[in-house]
């Protein structure tokens, strides 16, 4: 193609398009963006950055963050989904180089059949590499492998003032640690080198164990952490002090038999009416979920996608919560403070407002990979709440009190409403991160939690 035509096409691809389609996964808050840039080539990004006013841009991946950390209300987004090229793979070291818009699905689809898997994966594979680094996401193997950022060897960071900055643990180490978990504020992750891990095939030797108290859950976690790479639990949020749940643990199987790629599941076609999700329907679901899984008690060999990504089987399941959307509350509480954890569960049960997707996990003690990484030793709880206005927000503020007093923290990737004081309590050293912010970048989340301070 003559270079002039190619240049014209590139400019068009990078042009600004007004849109209201860019939401976060919780669909709350809803933000209007002034522009969305959709570059197709990484060499278009410097021009976009240079032309932008200060504090006006934010990278956007697949919008799988629940709240407003991927939104930039009244300003601009850079949609990174077309910057999705795999740039190279060194099979001797399992080292993958790819652009920031490559998704975890892309990586698994290409490399799992060759015997490689992600070193860390969150509970959905519909996440970009840039998003996984910017939130320094964690998975069911946090106690063994730490976070996603711990497996990033180096990255190319496009900055508005310094150009393309190459960073790793030796060179520009501060910028590297600021970018991991840096909420997209240090610049645009153009590419990253990620070390994949060897697996025999697509199977997980999994085991499922019902439990009936927090002490039992902690005992199961301790006993499993040495023997199992992956551990996590589902929790009945209506059980309060009579806690019950299902503990899942597993290892990559030695079985080498290949399977067909996961089928695209059904899609929820529209938002459900709010009345369908109430304390009675959720209680009934939880009862059924507990009974069905408790009956499956014991070991089994299952496909990796059923083990890691059960929610991905229904596309757009977030529409389940109705027009006003939903919030996820994810906190971590130091393990020494079990009483605080029980108080949290008690308040949730009393409110009757939690939903069926309660997840409990014990984080390990791996040092944080990034300056603002969320995981730290303790118990982490993640629970969805349908947005029902002020009473939902009031419940969350009452949960904040417990988390703050316990010395715990909230996860920005899941947050849409924490106060500046709660952010300060969760990340007391956030001010030392500020010098690394790119002058052209900002986000709705960042303005909300820092502008008053
Ligand atoms: C069903 C489900 C399960 C989940 N389970 C987990 C879990 O187990 N553990 C966990 O930690 N998280 C989990 N999450 C949250 C999710 O993994 C994170 O929010 C992730 O960061 C989303 O990535 P994304 O590509 O959609 O990025 P977005 O949500 O679009 O953006 C997230 C952040 O990344 C920044 N960003 C995106 N691309 C770039 C880039 N190229 N350069 C610089 N910054 C960039 C954005 O500016 C923003 O700050 C889950 C989410 C869902 C919906």
């Amino acid at each position: 193609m003559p270079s002039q035509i190619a240049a014209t096409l590139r400019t068009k691809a990078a042009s600004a398009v007004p849109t209201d389609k860019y939401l976060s996964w919780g669909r709350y808050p809803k933000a209007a963006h002034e522009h969305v840039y959709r570059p197709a080539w990484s060499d278009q990004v410097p021009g976009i950055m240079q032309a932008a006013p200060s504090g006006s841009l934010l990278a956007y991946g697949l919008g799988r963050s629940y709240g407003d950390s991927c939104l930039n209300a009244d300003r601009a987004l850079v949609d990174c989904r077309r910057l999705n090229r795999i740039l190279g793979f060194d099979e001797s070291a399992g080292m993958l180089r790819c652009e920031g818009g490559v998704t975890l699905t892309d990586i698994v689809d290409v490399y799992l059949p060759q015997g490689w898997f992600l070193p860390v994966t969150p509970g959905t594979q519909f996440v970009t590499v840039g998003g996984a680094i910017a939130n320094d996401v964690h998975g069911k193997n946090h106690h063994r492998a730490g976070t996603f950022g711990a497996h990033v060897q180096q990255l190319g960071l496009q900055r508005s003032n310094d150009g393309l900055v190459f960073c790793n643990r030796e060179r520009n180490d501060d910028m590297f640690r600021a970018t991991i978990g840096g909420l997209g504020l240090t610049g645009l992750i153009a590419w990253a080198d990620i070390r994949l891990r060897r697996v025999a095939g697509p199977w997980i030797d999994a085991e499922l164990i019902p439990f009936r108290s927090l002490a039992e859950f902690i005992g199961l976690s301790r006993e499993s952490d040495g023997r199992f790479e992956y551990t996590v639990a589902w929790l009945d949020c209506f059980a309060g002090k009579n806690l019950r749940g299902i503990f899942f643990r597993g290892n990559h199987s030695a079985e080498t038999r290949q399977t067909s790629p996961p089928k695209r599941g059904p899609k929820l076609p529209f938002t459900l009416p709010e009345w369908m999700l109430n304390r009675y329907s959720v209680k009934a679901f939880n009862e059924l979920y507990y009974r069905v899984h408790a009956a499956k008690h014991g070991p089994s060999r299952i496909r990796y996608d059923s083990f890691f990504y059960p929610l991905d089987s229904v596309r757009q399941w977030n529409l389940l919560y109705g027009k006003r959307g939903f919030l996820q509350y994810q906190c971590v509480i130091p393990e020494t403070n079990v009483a605080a954890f029980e108080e949290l569960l008690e308040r949730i049960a009393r409110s009757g407002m939690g939903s069926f997707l309660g997840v409990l996990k014990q984080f390990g003690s791996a040092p944080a990979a990034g300056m603002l990484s969320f995981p730290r030793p303790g118990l982490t709880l993640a629970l969805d709440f349908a947005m029902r206005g002020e009473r939902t927000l009031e419940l969350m503020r009452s949960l904040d009190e417990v988390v703050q007093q316990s010395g715990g923290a909230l996860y920005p990737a899941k947050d849409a409403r924490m106060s500046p004081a709660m952010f300060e309590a969760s990340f007391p050293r956030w001010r030392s991160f500020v010098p690394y912010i790119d002058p052209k970048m900002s986000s709705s989340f960042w303005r909300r939690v820092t502008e008053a301070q």
Side-chain angles (χ1 to χ4, degrees):
M1 187 184 320
S3 60
Q4 216 177 346
I5 299 177
T8 314
L9 286 177
R10 287 177 183 201
T11 315
K12 279 200 170 155
S15 68
V17 262
T19 178
D20 55 358
K21 296 268 183 309
Y22 288 77
L23 296 171
S24 61
W25 191 242
R27 303 167 62 82
Y28 173 85
K30 296 203 167 47
H33 291 99
E34 199 175 296
H35 294 299
V36 177
Y37 297 93
R38 300 175 63 240
W41 305 92
S42 57
D43 62 9
Q44 293 170 315
V45 176
I48 294 171
M49 284 184 141
Q50 265 141 36
S54 73
S56 66
L57 292 178
L58 183 71
Y60 184 92
L62 283 174
R64 258 35 180 211
S65 299
Y66 280 68
D68 56 359
S69 66
C70 60
L71 303 178
N72 202 14
D74 303 325
R75 304 188 191 191
L77 293 175
V78 183
D79 181 336
C80 297
R81 282 177 294 184
R82 298 201 294 171
L83 304 174
N84 63 346
R85 293 165 190 87
I86 288 178
L87 303 172
F89 184 59
D90 172 0
E91 193 156 0
S92 64
M95 194 68 75
L96 171 72
R97 177 167 294 185
C98 64
E99 289 185 330
V102 165
T103 67
L104 301 191
T105 318
D106 298 332
I107 297 175
V108 172
D109 285 355
V110 174
Y111 293 102
L112 185 56
Q114 299 175 38
W116 298 96
F117 194 64
L118 300 159
V120 165
T121 177
T124 174
Q125 55 181 329
F126 302 131
V127 160
T128 62
V129 163
I133 296 172
N135 276 323
D136 195 17
V137 300
H138 56 272
K140 297 174 177 60
N141 60 352
H142 182 266
H143 59 286
R144 287 278 192 91
T147 54
F148 192 85
H151 305 271
V152 175
Q153 297 302 303
Q154 47 199 3
L155 48 85
L157 182 68
Q158 188 66 53
R159 306 247 313 159
S160 65
N161 46 1
D162 312 320
L164 187 66
V165 179
F166 177 94
C167 7
N168 60 27
R169 287 179 185 79
E170 280 88 47
R171 203 162 133 198
N172 298 315
D173 166 51
D174 281 4
M175 190 59 85
F176 186 67
R177 289 194 322 106
T179 300
I180 294 174
L183 302 166
L185 298 167
T186 61
L188 191 134
I189 299 163
W191 57 263
D193 286 354
I194 302 147
R195 192 184 292 276
L196 303 185
R197 53 151 302 162
R198 264 266 176 231
V199 293
W203 299 95
I204 300 290
D205 288 332
E207 202 175 331
L208 227 139
I209 308 167
F211 61 90
R212 305 239 30 149
S213 71
L214 194 55
E216 213 183 315
F217 164 79
I218 292 172
L220 274 168
S221 279
R222 287 213 181 111
E223 181 236 321
S224 307
D225 279 0
R227 291 192 294 130
F228 291 88
E229 178 166 356
Y230 302 105
T231 64
V232 75
W234 168 84
L235 182 79
D236 180 354
C237 68
F238 280 102
K241 281 213 168 96
N242 307 315
L243 185 75
R244 67 173 179 177
I246 306 286
F247 192 84
F248 299 85
R249 58 190 190 185
N251 285 317
H252 288 280
S253 171
E255 162 126 32
T256 52
R257 183 168 51 94
Q258 292 296 325
T259 56
S260 50
K263 292 198 181 75
R264 279 168 77 85
K267 184 171 171 180
L268 214 62
F270 45 76
T271 45
L272 292 191
E274 285 187 3
W275 57 263
M276 283 188 72
L277 206 70
N278 55 52
R279 74 166 67 202
Y280 304 104
S281 57
V282 175
K283 261 190 179 171
F285 176 91
N286 282 4
E287 186 63 39
L288 189 70
Y289 187 94
Y290 182 81
R291 280 172 189 266
V292 167
H293 286 82
K296 288 189 201 157
H297 184 189
S300 61
R301 182 162 294 170
I302 59 176
R303 287 169 60 118
Y304 75 96
D305 47 314
S306 313
F307 185 76
F308 291 113
Y309 314 119
L311 289 171
D312 287 351
S313 59
V314 181
R315 287 178 291 148
Q316 294 188 7
W317 61 259
N318 54 342
L319 299 182
L320 194 72
Y321 290 93
K323 282 211 165 68
R324 283 190 280 177
F326 70 109
L327 298 103
Q328 184 168 98
Y329 194 83
Q330 181 165 2
C331 62
V332 56
I333 287 190
E335 194 199 308
T336 44
N337 212 332
V338 171
F341 205 83
E342 284 174 340
E343 174 60 25
L344 201 70
L345 296 176
E346 187 66 24
R347 288 187 188 197
I348 294 169
R350 242 185 288 131
S351 77
M353 285 167 67
S355 85
F356 32 75
L357 297 171
V359 176
L360 185 57
K361 157 97 192 138
Q362 186 155 34
F363 280 146
S365 55
M371 284 183 197
L372 293 185
S373 294
F374 161 72
R376 57 204 78 183
L379 297 172
T380 184
L381 171 73
L383 187 60
D384 292 350
F385 294 89
M387 180 55 180
R388 297 291 181 259
E390 186 50 31
R391 69 192 177 103
T392 312
L393 299 173
E394 200 181 309
L395 169 67
M396 296 202 157
R397 284 192 291 270
S398 110
L399 303 181
D400 289 351
E401 277 169 24
V402 182
V403 173
Q404 193 168 346
Q405 277 163 22
S406 77
L410 294 188
Y411 188 11
K414 308 291 181 73
D415 181 68
R417 35 61 49 194
M418 81 165 103
S419 66
M422 192 62 213
F423 180 67
E424 172 97 40
S426 301
F427 299 93
R429 287 198 290 275
W430 67 268
R431 284 182 185 78
S432 56
F433 164 78
V434 172
Y436 301 96
I437 296 178
D438 186 292
K440 299 288 174 79
M441 309 303 267
S442 181
S443 72
S444 294
F445 172 85
W446 193 250
R447 293 191 290 279
R448 173 166 60 79
V449 298
T450 64
E451 273 187 0
Q453 301 197 41

